[in-house]
Amino acid sequence: MTELMGAEAEMRDALRRLRADGVQRLGERVRELSAGWAALQPRRPWDDADRARLGELAASAHRLAGAGGTFGFPALSKAAAPLELLLLGLRDTPAPGGDRLRQAGAQVAAVAAAWEAGPAGAEEDGADPGQASPAEHGEPIFLFAEAEEQAMLSAVIANLGYSVRRASEREVLEGALPEGPLSAAVIDDAVPDPLAVCARLAGRCPLILLAEDSSFENRLAAARAGVEALVAKPLEVNELADWLDHFAGGRAETRYTIVIVDDDRLLAAAYAMALRQAGMQVTSVSDPAQAIEVIAATAPDLILMDLQMPGIDGIELARVIRQTRRHLSLPILFLSAEQDTERQILARRLGGDDFIPKPVDLDRLVTLVRLRAERARALRAVMESDSLTGLLNHARFKERLGLELERARRHGTTLSLVIFDLDHFKSVNDTHGHLVGDRVIRGLARSLQKRLRRTDVIGRYGGEEFAALMIGTGPEEARGIIDHLRERFAAASFETEGGSFGVTFSAGIAGNAPGGAGPEGGAEAEAMISAADAALYAAKRAGRNRVMVAPA
Amino acid sequence: MSPGGEALSRILYVEDDHDVRKVATFALKAVGGFVVEPCESGQQALEKAAGFAPQLLLLDVMMPGMDGPTTLERLRALPAIAGVPAIFMTAKVQPQEVSRYRALGTLDVISKPFDPMTLSATVRAIWAGRDD
């Protein structure tokens, strides 16, 4: 053991020396870059030799971007990457404008500042060297359980849509840990000394303990061992699912989508790079005339817009965007070199939410965008979703129905509306209480989310009523899918202290009129809802627990 | 362990930046226990490849002279290297870039900067998933 530790200490020592060399060279490169940039300024307009020099500086920036984080300077990497882009852009622009030059100058300064700020703290050091987030790559859930339990639990987790990495027999016996990234670990307390296992895994990834004993003492002991979630046995799958989604599933959804509208492609590319480094999804538009279309197609969380563009004023464009009701609460950030406060006030009044002065401090840009997008999304979620299930609420669902019908009409595609109703739900509430009733509601919401496609739209229509829009799916095909879902849901059982019980649902389906032959506008949506409702009623009358399609 | 069965040992690593090459080589050897042949250029990789008989190629994308994709293409033209899987390392990871590299028949792209302590685990995970 001590020998092993000695070898590891030696290894870390050697690595430290290599890092020190690397760090020294980073400093030299940063100084060369700053000096090189400064020397080029009085030489404008640049000749071919100067442009070649810009190319060399860009190569330096590239190396800083590639090496900074490896040697403990992740912020230096982040600042150098857009600088490389800007320098290459300047090299290839015959007569670069003031905005580009100032942005590049600001970025050279940002690189120097990131170097001056020193290496990242021990915590940050290497914690986020790349942008890979576990969920994106579907890092597995580590399952630590004895053989008998393992097969069952592994099936449960896989069924929830996560990849599972099972602990081997040896790992269980020795409490050994797997290599590589994990998005969460599920530990069954039937393994030998489960809390010791937790303590060893703590810090690697979030820990979920399945515990026979859910007393306060045991919860406290688990918390001390680094357990973040304790699920009492017998296992309630929904509860485990909620935790897994919380730890491993949430990331992809929290990726913000940003649209940049700027006629200067180079600057837009630099802003986009900084935002992408922070894990956001970015689409750039250089022609303001196309902005509306792109915004409609990407449904962004925020718009970043240049205030001064040829042909159209940013303020005007903001007003056009605000003409669409759905975009009333969409945050718009203006980029502006303008000092004129009068105009800034005007821009705010007409729809801008904030100003970012040019040249842009990319760090600040990322922070501002994230804060604004976060708040806008939280507000929208509250406004649009049902609080119990997180599905779209009634009003929002009907709005989507109208939009999707319009789209289907334009493209000549099919879609089906399904309305679900839980059978005898009142007796579930009466017998088991509302808390159990809520669990059933969430259970159906979850199976809809899991079994339907991501592009399908799902809403909670009322108390025990749900609705789904199946895009590109005709009523007969929808019937097959929903009927399968019905069988699975009916076969599942809900556990309570008083024993287990099952719940069924009935569903009615209606398709849109083929070839856009139906009534225009809102009337088609209403007609579809009535037809699906009538089919649902027919299903109920025919004995419940079945799916019926409305006659075309 | 991996479905492909064969355990990864020999890695040919091409990186022009001296410091990065040093650290990564050391980390792959000491942390990952791999046998690593470091090369400072595509040209050097071409000279060493056949004799080293690598199981995996690890290539920096942007290098002066011969860049990563060109190096890969020329390496693959060598009969001994034709079927050897490759991983690119790059500081500029844009979505379209990754799909372009994948189209060149690479297993994955590792974004730079990387953390030397976890580099081996990343390589191993990509290697284990290569048959998916």
Side-chain angles (χ1 to χ4, degrees), chain A residues 23-319:
Chain A
V23 168
Q24 196 185 341
R25 201 104 35 170
L26 287 181
E28 288 164 16
R29 287 229 171 89
V30 171
R31 283 187 289 275
E32 277 168 22
L33 194 56
S34 298
W37 173 254
L40 278 172
Q41 296 322 301
R43 300 182 50 80
R44 284 200 307 265
W46 289 324
D47 60 21
D48 285 351
D50 295 330
R51 291 186 186 287
R53 185 79 188 109
L54 279 169
E56 288 167 22
L57 295 181
S60 256
H62 181 86
R63 289 181 163 215
L64 286 173
T70 300
F71 297 111
F73 287 76
L76 181 58
S77 275
K78 279 194 178 151
L83 178 59
E84 180 199 359
L85 198 74
L86 289 164
L87 291 172
L88 287 176
L90 286 182
R91 183 194 62 184
D92 301 335
T93 316
D99 272 1
R100 287 187 171 192
L101 290 169
R102 277 189 292 273
Q103 187 66 48
Q107 209 51 35
V108 170
V111 164
W115 164 252
E116 291 299 333
E123 265 173 46
E124 253 183 278
D125 188 10
D128 180 25
Q131 300 94 39
S133 75
E136 234 175 293
H137 292 278
E139 310 296 10
I141 307 289
F142 186 53
L143 174 59
F144 208 98
E146 302 265 27
E148 315 85 84
E149 294 294 311
Q150 214 178 50
M152 187 274 288
L153 286 171
S154 154
V156 165
I157 297 172
N159 202 30
L160 292 167
Y162 294 97
S163 63
V164 187
R165 158 77 167 78
R166 299 189 194 192
S168 67
E169 207 172 320
R170 188 185 63 82
E171 282 168 334
V172 173
L173 280 177
E174 297 173 9
L177 309 178
E179 273 188 24
L182 300 166
S183 54
V186 174
I187 300 109
D188 182 27
D189 74 345
V191 300
D193 207 351
L195 291 186
V197 172
C198 292
R200 242 170 296 148
L201 276 172
R204 280 280 305 276
C205 62
L207 306 181
I208 305 170
L209 180 68
L210 310 180
E212 196 70 54
D213 175 4
S214 58
S215 66
F216 178 75
E217 289 73 18
N218 198 42
R219 283 179 183 273
L220 182 63
R224 286 184 180 147
V227 170
E228 283 168 69
L230 186 144
V231 179
K233 293 198 223 171
L235 182 65
E236 169 65 53
V237 175
N238 273 340
E239 200 184 341
L240 177 62
D242 283 343
W243 280 117
L244 288 177
D245 290 354
H246 179 75
F247 291 131
R251 294 261 198 125
E253 282 173 50
T254 59
R255 255 172 97 95
Y256 296 120
T257 305
I258 312 297
V259 168
I260 300 177
V261 187
D262 195 326
D263 59 293
D264 189 321
R265 287 170 197 270
L266 177 61
L267 293 178
Y271 309 147
M273 177 177 269
L275 296 174
R276 285 199 186 105
Q277 282 175 342
M280 301 182 205
Q281 212 155 1
V282 187
T283 310
S284 300
V285 195
S286 56
D287 177 4
Q290 287 173 357
I292 300 293
E293 208 174 308
V294 171
I295 290 165
T298 49
D301 293 289
L302 179 142
I303 297 174
L304 191 62
M305 196 192 297
D306 193 7
L307 192 57
Q308 295 91 14
M309 290 181 287
I312 185 166
D313 187 284
I315 298 179
E316 290 171 340
L317 186 55
R319 293 175 80 169

Side-chain angles (χ1 to χ4, degrees), chain A residues 390-464:
Chain A
L391 301 180
L392 294 184
N393 61 26
H394 188 117
R396 184 78 183 118
F397 182 85
K398 277 184 81 167
E399 195 183 305
R400 279 296 297 273
L401 174 61
L403 282 174
E404 293 301 337
L405 273 174
E406 205 176 292
R407 190 177 305 179
R409 178 192 294 275
R410 271 205 313 270
H411 300 301
T413 52
T414 54
L415 66 87
S416 296
L417 169 67
V418 192
I419 301 184
F420 307 79
D421 192 82
L422 287 163
D423 297 327
H424 302 298
F425 185 67
K426 191 172 172 306
S427 82
V428 172
N429 270 338
D430 291 348
T431 315
H432 304 285
H434 284 280
L435 286 179
V436 173
D438 284 356
R439 236 167 63 199
V440 174
I441 299 260
R442 276 205 307 264
L444 180 54
R446 179 178 299 284
S447 28
L448 292 178
Q449 281 170 317
K450 202 172 72 190
R451 297 283 157 210
L452 299 184
R453 282 182 304 189
R454 205 167 275 274
T455 47
D456 292 342
V457 181
I458 310 168
R460 182 165 176 221
Y461 217 59
E464 63 257 34

Side-chain angles (χ1 to χ4, degrees), chain A residues 441-515:
Chain A
I441 299 260
R442 276 205 307 264
L444 180 54
R446 179 178 299 284
S447 28
L448 292 178
Q449 281 170 317
K450 202 172 72 190
R451 297 283 157 210
L452 299 184
R453 282 182 304 189
R454 205 167 275 274
T455 47
D456 292 342
V457 181
I458 310 168
R460 182 165 176 221
Y461 217 59
E464 63 257 34
E465 217 178 20
F466 291 78
L469 261 182
M470 299 175 70
I471 315 279
T473 310
E476 278 311 318
E477 195 190 337
R479 183 219 292 268
I481 297 166
I482 300 301
D483 207 44
H484 185 60
L485 204 150
R486 178 191 60 76
E487 282 172 8
R488 294 187 72 119
F489 186 74
S493 67
F494 291 88
E495 309 291 334
T496 68
E497 280 164 16
S500 65
F501 67 97
V503 184
T504 61
F505 67 75
S506 304
I509 301 176
N512 61 335

